Short mmCIF file of all heavy atoms in Angstrom, two decimals:
data_model
loop_
_atom_site.label_atom_id
_atom_site.label_comp_id
_atom_site.label_asym_id
_atom_site.label_seq_id
_atom_site.Cartn_x
_atom_site.Cartn_y
_atom_site.Cartn_z
N SER A 30 0.45 8.69 0.49
CA SER A 30 0.86 10.08 0.28
C SER A 30 0.60 10.81 1.58
O SER A 30 -0.45 10.63 2.20
CB SER A 30 0.02 10.73 -0.83
OG SER A 30 0.20 10.06 -2.04
N VAL A 31 1.53 11.67 1.96
CA VAL A 31 1.40 12.40 3.22
C VAL A 31 1.57 13.89 2.94
O VAL A 31 2.42 14.30 2.16
CB VAL A 31 2.46 11.93 4.24
CG1 VAL A 31 2.37 12.73 5.53
CG2 VAL A 31 2.32 10.44 4.53
N ALA A 32 0.74 14.68 3.63
CA ALA A 32 0.87 16.14 3.59
C ALA A 32 0.76 16.65 5.02
O ALA A 32 -0.01 16.10 5.82
CB ALA A 32 -0.23 16.76 2.72
N GLU A 33 1.57 17.66 5.34
CA GLU A 33 1.54 18.23 6.68
C GLU A 33 1.49 19.74 6.59
O GLU A 33 2.18 20.35 5.77
CB GLU A 33 2.77 17.81 7.47
CG GLU A 33 2.83 16.33 7.74
CD GLU A 33 4.06 15.91 8.52
OE1 GLU A 33 5.15 16.45 8.25
OE2 GLU A 33 3.91 15.05 9.40
N ALA A 34 0.64 20.33 7.43
CA ALA A 34 0.55 21.79 7.54
C ALA A 34 -0.26 22.11 8.79
O ALA A 34 -1.15 21.35 9.18
CB ALA A 34 -0.13 22.39 6.31
N ILE A 37 -1.18 19.61 11.41
CA ILE A 37 -2.12 18.55 10.99
C ILE A 37 -1.39 17.66 9.99
O ILE A 37 -0.73 18.15 9.08
CB ILE A 37 -3.37 19.15 10.30
CG1 ILE A 37 -4.08 20.14 11.24
CG2 ILE A 37 -4.33 18.04 9.86
CD1 ILE A 37 -5.11 21.00 10.54
N THR A 38 -1.53 16.35 10.17
CA THR A 38 -0.96 15.38 9.23
C THR A 38 -2.11 14.71 8.49
O THR A 38 -3.08 14.26 9.11
CB THR A 38 -0.13 14.31 9.96
OG1 THR A 38 0.92 14.97 10.68
CG2 THR A 38 0.47 13.31 8.98
N ALA A 39 -2.00 14.65 7.18
CA ALA A 39 -2.98 13.97 6.34
C ALA A 39 -2.29 12.82 5.62
O ALA A 39 -1.21 13.00 5.05
CB ALA A 39 -3.58 14.93 5.33
N ARG A 40 -2.90 11.65 5.68
CA ARG A 40 -2.38 10.47 4.98
C ARG A 40 -3.45 9.97 4.02
O ARG A 40 -4.58 9.75 4.41
CB ARG A 40 -2.05 9.37 5.98
CG ARG A 40 -0.87 9.66 6.85
CD ARG A 40 -0.62 8.54 7.86
NE ARG A 40 0.53 8.84 8.69
CZ ARG A 40 0.48 9.64 9.75
NH1 ARG A 40 -0.64 10.19 10.13
NH2 ARG A 40 1.57 9.88 10.45
N PRO A 107 -4.35 19.99 5.32
CA PRO A 107 -3.50 19.70 4.17
C PRO A 107 -4.11 18.53 3.38
O PRO A 107 -4.65 17.59 3.97
CB PRO A 107 -2.17 19.30 4.79
CG PRO A 107 -2.55 18.73 6.14
CD PRO A 107 -3.78 19.48 6.57
N ILE A 108 -4.08 18.61 2.07
CA ILE A 108 -4.65 17.55 1.22
C ILE A 108 -3.54 17.00 0.32
O ILE A 108 -3.02 17.72 -0.53
CB ILE A 108 -5.80 18.08 0.34
CG1 ILE A 108 -6.85 18.82 1.18
CG2 ILE A 108 -6.43 16.93 -0.46
CD1 ILE A 108 -7.54 17.98 2.23
N PRO A 109 -3.18 15.73 0.50
CA PRO A 109 -2.19 15.14 -0.41
C PRO A 109 -2.71 15.19 -1.85
O PRO A 109 -3.92 15.03 -2.10
CB PRO A 109 -2.08 13.69 0.08
CG PRO A 109 -2.53 13.74 1.51
CD PRO A 109 -3.59 14.80 1.55
N GLU A 110 -1.83 15.42 -2.78
CA GLU A 110 -2.21 15.57 -4.19
C GLU A 110 -3.07 14.40 -4.69
O GLU A 110 -4.03 14.61 -5.42
CB GLU A 110 -0.96 15.73 -5.05
CG GLU A 110 -1.26 16.08 -6.48
CD GLU A 110 0.00 16.34 -7.29
OE1 GLU A 110 1.00 16.83 -6.71
OE2 GLU A 110 -0.03 16.05 -8.49
#
Side-chain angles (χ1 to χ4, degrees):
S30 299
V31 177
E33 294 180 321
I37 303 166
T38 301
R40 290 178 180 82
I108 308 298
E110 188 175 329

